[in-house]
Amino acid sequence: MNMFDKRIELLEGLALAVKLKDKTVSKEAAESIDFVEYNDIPYVNELLGKIDVEKYSELKKYILDIKDCAYYTNLYLYFDNEFNYKKNCNLEVFNSKNISDFTNLVKKIYDSENIEQVFAKYYQLSIKISRVYNDIYKFDKQKIREEYSLLFNVPEEVTFDSKITILANGGFSASNGNELACIKGIGDNLKVLKYKKEYSIVNLYHEFAHYFVNPIVDKNISIIPNKDFLLQEAIDNNLPKTYQNIKPVLYESFVRALSIIYAKGKVSDEGLKNDINWFSSIGFVRVEDIITIIENGMKKNKNFEDILKTDLCQYFAN
């Protein structure tokens, strides 16, 4: 089982090349490309060596125009394995640049620079790392499907996948139609993976939850009371700038609550409490209450949307 995906690797690699190699990019702009990270290993160095930022000088215009790094990473699901663009992406990946023009550039770099040579050379390494990771985390697609089905409608055609990469910093949710994936940056030190197990389990549930939660919030946003107050409350409690809009506050509050609910029994009580405290320290101060409300709703066999429209809205109104 190979948990790496060359489409993710190239997209993150292109961003990392601009961050590290393009001397025309200011230090401040380079630091803003914070969703990728450099690890000094032969695989990463050879991949970066294939990406000539002077030859493809237009690359930086796209990378610096990224509106949402999660959408940028999500773009991998809109390529086939030969980097042909499927031409159906409506994500707001860039502020002003055209997605089709960017995907044409990605295809050109992949073909012209024989990027596949790097992926082929390090294929066995990717299998080895995948095996180590999966032995620790034992990703069970069917179990996750059953867990989400307790609160959400999960059609049989929806697929759950878990991807890892050495190039990304953090975790991302990605989807295209019925394809759903959690993408996790794991660094280059396999020995520390087991010590990150609890954090990674919570993160896995977090990223999958976005697929189900976000559309329900969008659908019901008008009935949620005291939105201005909830946003300001989060800002007053150190909410990062990237979340300073009411929809992200709601998305993240619900998703973080669900990640704790689903991780119970797989993560220590101390670990879960530490996560809740961390959420509160960065503005998501209502997560513990939301966990209780959702769990009470589950005992009554209510789905998430019903809980949101009744119990959670009542809670936010008080």
Side-chain angles (χ1 to χ4, degrees):
M1 178 182 182
N2 191 353
M3 299 179 71
F4 285 80
D5 191 301
K6 66 182 181 182
R7 298 169 297 175
I8 298 171
E9 298 300 293
L10 182 52
L11 286 172
E12 307 301 85
L14 293 172
L16 188 59
V18 170
K19 178 183 179 75
L20 298 179
K21 297 174 63 178
D22 196 322
K23 303 305 181 185
T24 67
V25 174
S26 69
K27 181 180 178 181
E28 181 181 13
E31 289 176 350
S32 73
I33 310 172
D34 58 0
F35 63 96
V36 290
E37 68 176 27
Y38 173 67
N39 290 287
D40 186 9
I41 60 175
Y43 161 65
V44 174
N45 291 329
E46 289 189 36
L47 179 60
L48 291 177
K50 289 278 191 178
I51 304 169
D52 188 334
V53 294
E54 293 184 7
K55 180 178 180 180
Y56 302 103
S57 59
E58 67 270 38
L59 180 60
K60 74 171 183 180
K61 298 176 183 177
Y62 293 100
I63 300 302
L64 296 181
D65 192 53
I66 292 172
K67 182 176 183 178
D68 188 314
C69 61
Y71 286 157
Y72 174 80
T73 303
N74 196 150
L75 193 57
Y76 91 93
L77 284 173
Y78 292 83
F79 289 99
D80 66 17
N81 279 330
E82 299 304 318
F83 287 90
N84 298 300
Y85 177 47
K86 300 177 184 178
K87 301 184 184 301
N88 63 339
C89 182
N90 58 4
L91 299 174
E92 294 183 0
V93 176
F94 302 109
N95 287 300
S96 60
K97 300 300 180 185
N98 182 274
I99 289 179
S100 292
D101 291 343
F102 174 69
T103 57
N104 288 338
L105 177 60
V106 174
K107 172 66 171 173
K108 180 179 180 181
I109 294 173
Y110 173 75
D111 287 341
S112 300
E113 305 307 321
N114 195 13
I115 303 293
E116 184 63 32
Q117 183 182 51
V118 178
F119 297 142
K121 180 177 179 179
Y122 290 96
Y123 177 76
Q124 290 303 321
L125 174 66
S126 69
I127 293 293
K128 175 186 174 182
I129 296 173
S130 298
R131 187 177 298 117
V132 171
Y133 189 89
N134 204 44
D135 284 347
I136 295 172
Y137 298 104
K138 296 178 173 58
F139 176 65
D140 187 335
K141 299 179 183 181
Q142 184 57 35
K143 179 65 174 175
I144 289 175
R145 172 185 294 279
E146 291 169 0
E147 290 170 327
Y148 276 98
S149 295
L150 296 173
L151 282 168
F152 303 96
N153 176 36
V154 185
E156 277 301 316
E157 57 269 24
V158 171
T159 61
F160 291 80
D161 205 355
S162 180
K163 299 293 186 182
I164 56 176
T165 174
I166 294 173
L167 301 171
N169 176 26
F172 302 96
S173 173
S175 62
N176 180 12
N178 292 320
E179 294 181 272
L180 172 59
C182 169
I183 303 160
K184 186 75 181 72
I186 63 169
D188 67 331
N189 187 351
L190 299 184
K191 294 180 181 179
V192 306
L193 280 180
K194 63 181 180 180
Y195 301 113
K196 296 181 178 180
K197 180 176 180 178
E198 292 197 341
Y199 162 76
S200 293
I201 289 172
V202 172
N203 181 255
L204 179 79
Y205 284 111
H206 176 124
E207 300 303 344
F208 281 136
H210 274 297
Y211 177 82
F212 300 101
V213 167
N214 292 16
I216 293 174
V217 171
D218 293 345
K219 177 183 173 183
N220 294 284
I221 189 69
S222 64
I223 67 170
I224 298 174
N226 291 326
K227 290 186 282 290
D228 290 342
F229 174 81
L230 294 171
L231 175 59
Q232 191 58 51
E233 176 186 64
I235 292 172
D236 291 344
N237 285 277
N238 306 311
L239 183 72
K241 287 185 178 180
T242 188
Y243 297 125
Q244 290 186 10
N245 185 286
I246 187 55
K247 280 190 177 182
V249 168
L250 294 171
Y251 294 158
E252 292 295 324
S253 295
F254 299 148
V255 161
R256 289 165 193 261
L258 288 166
S259 70
I260 298 297
I261 291 170
Y262 286 130
K264 287 184 176 181
K266 308 175 187 70
V267 172
S268 67
D269 291 344
E270 181 183 3
L272 294 176
K273 186 61 178 177
N274 288 341
D275 284 333
I276 292 171
N277 290 340
W278 165 246
F279 300 156
S280 294
S281 74
I282 57 170
F284 302 107
V285 295
R286 293 177 177 259
V287 168
E288 195 160 21
D289 287 345
I290 292 170
I291 290 170
T292 300
I293 292 168
I294 293 175
E295 287 183 326
N296 286 338
M298 293 174 74
K299 292 174 184 176
K300 300 174 185 177
N301 295 316
K302 298 173 74 172
N303 63 39
F304 176 77
E305 185 167 11
D306 288 340
I307 295 170
L308 172 60
K309 292 165 72 173
T310 55
D311 306 321
L312 285 169
C313 279
Q314 183 178 355
Y315 165 68
F316 291 137
N318 296 327

